[in-house]
Amino acid sequence: MDRSQKADAVAELNRTFNEVGVVVVTRNLGMTVKQSTDLRNKMRAAGASYKVSKNKLAIIAAEGTDYAVIADLLTGPTALATSADPVAAAKIAVEFAKTNDKLEIVGGAMGAQLLNAEGVKSLATMPSLDELRAKIVGLIVAPATKLATITQAPAAQIARVLSAHAEKQAA
């Protein structure tokens, strides 16, 4: 990797650090290409990304961002899982690590808040941003649905009474 490629890689990582909500640092302990591709596909489907980068370049790129706190975690063969949703990258990385012993969760950061491996696992158990939005919409819509049901009930009862009365008179 020559100097210009390193500069491009640092600029891209810096841009990523300024746009994401969470960074999860993982250690690759000999994953195959198929396993890495599978993990990347799962990350992409969840709106996250998984990228192997040189530790020194990642440390340089993190300087001046909230994610400068991850510098101590970047030792050995590491990779970064990132996502704008604060839960997506953590959730996919933790689920994948449960089924694959060659991926280890080292830690991460959510903004300037440094997370250890247990913190990342706790973050992964939280509902995603989309799930929280769906719950809020459900809570907002539920009273309106109940109100519509309640207001329609008397009219339906009157219609049934009139129908029964009409049937009685016709018989």
Side-chain angles (χ1 to χ4, degrees):
M1 190 179 257
D2 67 2
R3 189 175 288 266
S4 66
Q5 290 173 321
K6 288 179 182 179
D8 291 343
V10 168
E12 182 183 340
L13 276 170
N14 185 273
R15 190 172 37 257
T16 299
F17 287 144
N18 286 315
E19 295 172 353
V20 298
V22 69
V23 173
V24 178
V25 179
T26 63
R27 185 160 289 126
N28 179 347
L29 303 172
M31 288 189 341
T32 64
V33 172
K34 183 183 181 315
Q35 291 168 331
S36 293
T37 303
D38 186 35
L39 177 58
R40 282 188 176 91
N41 289 338
K42 288 179 181 181
M43 287 281 185
R44 207 172 296 118
S49 70
Y50 181 77
K51 187 170 194 163
V52 176
S53 67
K54 292 186 176 281
N55 293 333
K56 185 65 176 168
L57 298 180
I59 291 169
I60 293 168
E63 288 175 4
T65 69
D66 289 340
Y67 296 100
V69 296
I70 66 168
D72 292 338
L73 301 175
L74 297 172
T75 58
T78 59
L80 304 172
T82 59
S83 66
D85 180 355
V87 178
K91 190 172 285 220
I92 299 299
V94 168
E95 286 176 11
F96 193 83
K98 284 180 185 175
T99 60
N100 189 328
D101 61 345
K102 294 183 180 180
L103 182 74
E104 176 188 351
I105 306 295
V106 177
M110 197 165 81
Q113 177 66 42
L114 184 65
L115 303 171
N116 60 11
E118 290 304 314
V120 172
K121 290 175 184 173
S122 295
L123 183 63
T125 61
M126 297 176 74
S128 71
L129 203 53
D130 289 338
E131 291 170 354
L132 288 175
R133 286 179 182 147
K135 285 181 182 181
I136 290 172
V137 168
L139 291 172
I140 292 170
V141 170
T145 304
K146 288 179 183 176
L147 184 63
T149 304
I150 290 170
T151 57
Q152 289 177 348
Q157 288 175 344
I158 290 172
R160 283 193 294 273
V161 168
L162 291 176
S163 175
H165 186 65
E167 288 175 6
K168 186 178 180 183
Q169 284 189 354

